[in-house]
Amino acid sequence: MPDLLPLIDSFGRLHNNLRISVTDRCNIRCFYCMPAEDVQFMDRAELLTFEEIERFVRVAVPLGINKLRLTGGEPLVRRELHKLVAILAAIPGVEDIGLTTNGILLAEQAEALYAAGLRRINVSLDALTPEAFKKFTRRNGFEQVLEGIKAAQRVGFDLVKINAVSVRGMTEEEIIPFGHFARDTGAEVRFIEYMPLDADNAWERGKVLFAHEIIERLSNEIMPLIPEGATDRNAPATDFVFADGIGRIGFIASISQPFCLSCNRIRITADGKLRNCLFSLDETDLRPLLREAGSDDAIAAAIRTSVAAKKEGHEINTARFIQPDRPMYSIGG
Ligand code: SAM
Ligand code: SF4
């Protein structure tokens, strides 16, 4: 009889949230995530198949996992991703599936994803002019992302969220345009503090534009931002709304206000490595268990062991911090 106790770690955190990376490939090259050139991608044979991902989720759900998010790399470059959404949506106990995408291929896939059962989409967009977009992503594609956002809203996705990484020296010019964008489009704009997960190892604390600085600018130059009560105490974002009720802005202040103590997430990389934290230095290779004849009990035990070993927090603000070898695109953000 498998052990069905919930996934609680040694700091009392209950884990119900799984981020699934479906590929490490990407069609742009954000400087805070990927190297500019010569990216070493995983061999296709290394990627978990849809069947292997399904099996992993079927084992994880009875342990208490009920929220999934598909990510990457760029998840929409994985062929027929909507089929994976449909497979996962059909698993009893899966209550919520989200997707994080750069939006480049979203306009052409939004309808199929919605039809497959996806309801929540976060689109990453760091800037609101084509020139600034290219500085962040080292590629063109700004108009395609805007089209993708419009398509997602048209198809009927729940509140579309925009993720903008906040980088000192770059994001300042985008703050007010994003405030107006949130008010004009109804999308929630969430600023994510730049984290040390870049492939170039160029992150420094001085390059992070902090949430409180953005709140101050928006409040002074548009109108006061009012904090919203948290609907999900495990959500990493703190949400605000402009004082007239129009325009939602969120902040993921991973550096200035780490939320590790309420973290409820585990992750599986596209090549089947289980990670208990974005910043963990260890991971558990589940692919042999998923691909060869590992039992469900063995997979469940590996998940438990990983959760039990989770550290208290990321330690970015201490001298002890060591940046993981895997950059963001290879972990799955
Ligand atoms: N390609 C998809 C996308 O960009 O939305 C999904 C994967 S991406 C790694 C997931 C999220 O992580 C994106 O919102 C991206 O902006 C964010 N991200 C990547 N590197 C980051 C970093 N160094 N610091 C903060 N956020 C980062
Ligand atoms: Fe690609 Fe997303 Fe990384 Fe940008 S953040 S390079 S879109 S995986």
Side-chain angles (χ1 to χ4, degrees), residues 274-312:
L274 181 66
R275 298 177 62 87
N276 57 23
C277 173
L278 257 181
F279 296 96
S280 63
L281 301 175
D282 310 313
E283 48 188 30
T284 309
D285 189 3
L286 291 186
R287 198 177 56 205
L289 292 178
L290 291 165
R291 191 157 287 186
E292 290 135 36
S295 67
D296 287 0
D297 283 352
I299 296 166
I303 299 174
R304 279 192 193 292
T305 306
S306 172
V307 169
K310 183 157 169 157
K311 292 200 173 135
E312 187 174 13

Side-chain angles (χ1 to χ4, degrees), residues 26 28-30 32-34 72-74 102 329:
C26 189
I28 54 176
R29 293 286 181 275
C30 306
Y32 48 69
C33 175
M34 276 201 160
E74 172 47 37
N102 63 28
Y329 74 95

Side-chain angles (χ1 to χ4, degrees), residues 13 15 197 260 263 265-269 273-283 306-307 309-316 321 324 326 331-332:
R13 295 171 293 200
H15 291 71
L197 288 168
C260 301
C263 179
R265 296 166 183 209
I266 56 173
R267 297 164 188 274
I268 187 153
T269 64
K273 309 285 194 293
L274 181 66
R275 298 177 62 87
N276 57 23
C277 173
L278 257 181
F279 296 96
S280 63
L281 301 175
D282 310 313
E283 48 188 30
S306 172
V307 169
K310 183 157 169 157
K311 292 200 173 135
E312 187 174 13
H314 61 43
E315 301 190 329
I316 292 172
F321 179 72
R326 275 185 191 254
I331 298 173

Side-chain angles (χ1 to χ4, degrees), residues 56-289:
F56 178 74
V57 173
R58 283 191 183 274
V59 174
V61 165
L63 307 182
I65 296 295
N66 57 17
K67 282 188 84 167
L68 310 177
R69 176 163 291 273
L70 302 176
T71 181
E74 172 47 37
L76 298 187
V77 304
R78 178 85 187 242
R79 209 172 302 150
E80 303 197 303
L81 188 76
H82 63 97
K83 291 194 175 162
L84 178 63
V85 172
I87 292 169
L88 299 177
I91 297 177
V94 170
E95 291 172 9
D96 183 289
I97 307 179
L99 171 79
T100 302
T101 171
N102 63 28
I104 301 260
L105 298 173
L106 184 54
E108 59 201 70
Q109 296 188 32
E111 238 174 273
L113 291 165
Y114 191 85
L118 189 75
R119 290 292 176 271
R120 301 197 311 118
I121 282 204
N122 292 358
V123 182
S124 302
L125 176 64
D126 303 311
L128 286 174
T129 63
E131 299 72 32
F133 176 88
K134 198 167 181 179
K135 282 191 193 149
F136 278 95
T137 63
R138 300 153 162 159
R139 292 288 186 278
N140 296 317
F142 174 68
E143 298 297 342
Q144 287 158 270
V145 180
L146 287 189
E147 284 310 313
I149 294 168
K150 281 188 207 149
Q153 291 184 317
R154 204 169 44 238
V155 166
F157 280 97
D158 299 342
L159 180 68
V160 175
K161 295 182 181 170
I162 309 300
N163 288 350
V165 177
S166 59
V167 182
R168 191 174 299 284
M170 296 178 78
T171 303
E172 289 86 340
E173 289 174 27
E174 308 298 328
I175 297 174
I176 301 306
F178 267 128
H180 290 298
F181 185 86
R183 291 168 65 75
D184 295 343
T185 64
E188 173 172 339
V189 174
R190 307 191 315 168
F191 292 95
I192 306 179
E193 289 177 352
Y194 175 24
M195 295 182 279
L197 288 168
D198 55 317
D200 298 335
N201 266 283
W203 182 91
E204 291 166 16
R205 198 181 160 82
K207 293 182 181 167
V208 184
L209 185 67
F210 295 119
H212 70 89
E213 302 175 75
I214 300 176
I215 295 173
E216 206 173 298
R217 282 274 314 273
L218 288 169
S219 294
N220 289 341
E221 294 176 41
I222 298 185
M223 74 177 72
L225 278 172
I226 313 296
E228 295 223 291
T231 44
D232 173 0
R233 69 173 194 87
N234 296 113
T238 314
D239 295 318
F240 290 76
V241 63
F242 284 106
D244 63 356
I246 301 169
R248 292 166 59 90
I249 307 282
F251 296 91
I252 301 184
S254 339
I255 309 297
S256 64
Q257 291 173 301
F259 38 83
C260 301
L261 284 178
S262 61
C263 179
N264 62 352
R265 296 166 183 209
I266 56 173
R267 297 164 188 274
I268 187 153
T269 64
D271 56 347
K273 309 285 194 293
L274 181 66
R275 298 177 62 87
N276 57 23
C277 173
L278 257 181
F279 296 96
S280 63
L281 301 175
D282 310 313
E283 48 188 30
T284 309
D285 189 3
L286 291 186
R287 198 177 56 205
L289 292 178

